[in-house]
Amino acid sequence: MTLTSSLEQGRPPQQIREDLWLFPPNRDCLGGSSWWLDCVPEPVLIDCPPLTEATLQALERLAAGRIPRLLLTNREGHGRVRRLQERLGWPVLVQEQEAYLLPGVDPLETFAQTHRTASGLRLLWTPGPTPGSCVVHAPAPWNVLFCGRLLVPVAVGVLAGLQHRRTFHWPRQQRSLERLRDWVGSDPLPSLASGAGLGALRGERLAPWSAWADGFHQAPHQETPT
Amino acid sequence: MAFIKRPIRRLRRKALLHQTFRLPQRLSLHTIGALREALADVDLRIVNQPLPQLTPFP
């Protein structure tokens, strides 16, 4: 199907560091955040940004002739990825549990437990928020952990696992958080880049590793699943 | 009243499950839940596809 409607103008991404950009909140993903990491040889776009003219222009400028990879950390970050992929043609990587949600996307690659990209980024399957949630660890020199919705900003300088009505499996999410601590290792501890809305951080974008709160939070007025 | 409310709520949930999810083609609750809740660009043709063999959950 040919898209004839014009896109919104939108806002361009914000540069956080020399190698890291943050796109504006995406309404198609409940205000989720998507990130661009300029790593060599294959830059990555993590989760789907809002499909706007400003986004497309920025992505073409940032790609600079290279073929980046689109990593999706959970089904709530898919947004309008198929339309974005139709326009840009970049390959998409997703955990196998959520690949069935993207039948028209080609090329689409999947992984099961772990994966390593051409640039050395590591992916780990962390089910809980959704069945196919995963995290992306960019080791030094980037030193960032893109945690999708596994860790959500809950206050200024605090990220935690959050249970709410869209949570797929809360005990699995708790186990995934414990496994993630072991998997990342301790030297050096990465900064945290959440894929959820960042409003609770009140202007901060990247959070230090110490912002990861030990306790698990439950959204108020939600019924605990049986 | 709490001791009455809880079983009623459970029965209602079960009834809703059976009523809403009576669908053909090996559809699991997982798939239906994903379809209902994901705001993704979902193509409903997937309901006629067989589910692939996936790695078990850890």
Side-chain angles (χ1 to χ4, degrees), chain A residues 28 30 75 78-80 82-83 96-97 100-101 103 112-113 125 127 131 165-166 168 172 175 179 223 226, chain B residues 9-10 13 30-35 37-43 45-46 51-58:
Chain A
D28 300 318
L30 299 171
R75 68 185 178 203
H78 288 192
R80 284 192 267 174
R82 189 171 55 185
R83 285 173 203 156
E96 63 180 10
Q97 287 278 342
Y100 75 98
L101 291 166
Q113 298 280 355
W125 180 28
R165 57 181 300 182
R166 295 188 317 282
F168 161 64
R172 282 205 171 96
R175 287 202 292 273
R179 203 152 54 96
E223 188 183 347
T226 52
Chain B
R9 199 178 291 163
R10 195 179 302 148
R13 192 185 300 137
H30 165 161
T31 312
I32 298 297
L35 284 173
E37 294 190 353
L39 291 178
D41 206 356
V42 174
D43 186 338
R45 282 175 301 178
I46 62 176
L51 294 173
Q53 291 298 315
L54 302 177
T55 311
F57 280 97

Side-chain angles (χ1 to χ4, degrees), chain A residues 3-203:
Chain A
L3 293 175
T4 51
S5 58
S6 60
L7 297 174
E8 278 181 54
Q9 187 51 41
R11 285 187 290 137
Q14 180 186 6
Q15 187 164 11
I16 308 296
R17 284 188 339 201
E18 195 181 330
D19 52 3
L20 189 65
W21 279 258
L22 170 65
F23 284 85
N26 189 353
R27 276 178 296 185
D28 300 318
C29 307
L30 299 171
S33 309
S34 83
W35 302 80
W36 171 275
L37 182 66
D38 204 342
C39 45
V40 179
E42 184 188 61
V44 290
L45 175 64
I46 296 159
D47 288 332
C48 186
L51 187 60
T52 61
E53 290 291 348
T55 297
L56 291 173
Q57 285 168 12
L59 287 174
E60 278 167 9
R61 178 172 49 81
L62 290 167
R66 297 170 291 180
I67 300 182
R69 187 170 295 267
L70 226 157
L71 311 179
L72 298 173
T73 59
N74 62 84
R75 68 185 178 203
E76 293 185 355
H78 288 192
R80 284 192 267 174
V81 69
R82 189 171 55 185
R83 285 173 203 156
L84 188 76
Q85 207 260 353
E86 277 170 4
R87 285 169 184 256
L88 299 170
W90 297 347
V92 177
L93 178 66
V94 67
Q95 208 280 334
E96 63 180 10
Q97 287 278 342
E98 290 172 4
Y100 75 98
L101 291 166
L102 304 167
V105 174
D106 185 33
L108 177 72
E109 292 175 29
T110 63
F111 70 99
Q113 298 280 355
T114 58
H115 184 83
R116 184 181 283 270
T117 70
S119 303
L121 308 190
R122 301 189 304 149
L123 284 87
L124 174 71
W125 180 28
T126 53
T130 67
S133 284
C134 64
V135 297
V136 183
H137 180 218
W142 308 292
N143 208 27
V144 185
L145 179 71
F146 299 94
C147 48
R149 303 211 179 216
L150 191 67
L151 287 170
V152 173
V154 291
V156 180
V158 183
L159 276 78
L162 188 68
Q163 183 187 12
H164 51 76
R165 57 181 300 182
R166 295 188 317 282
T167 300
F168 161 64
H169 200 288
W170 180 237
R172 282 205 171 96
Q173 182 166 349
Q174 290 170 311
R175 287 202 292 273
S176 294
L177 285 165
E178 287 161 13
R179 203 152 54 96
L180 177 60
R181 278 189 193 274
D182 299 333
W183 181 75
V184 167
S186 58
D187 185 36
L189 292 172
S191 303
L192 301 173
S194 176
L198 303 179
L201 294 177
R202 302 287 171 124

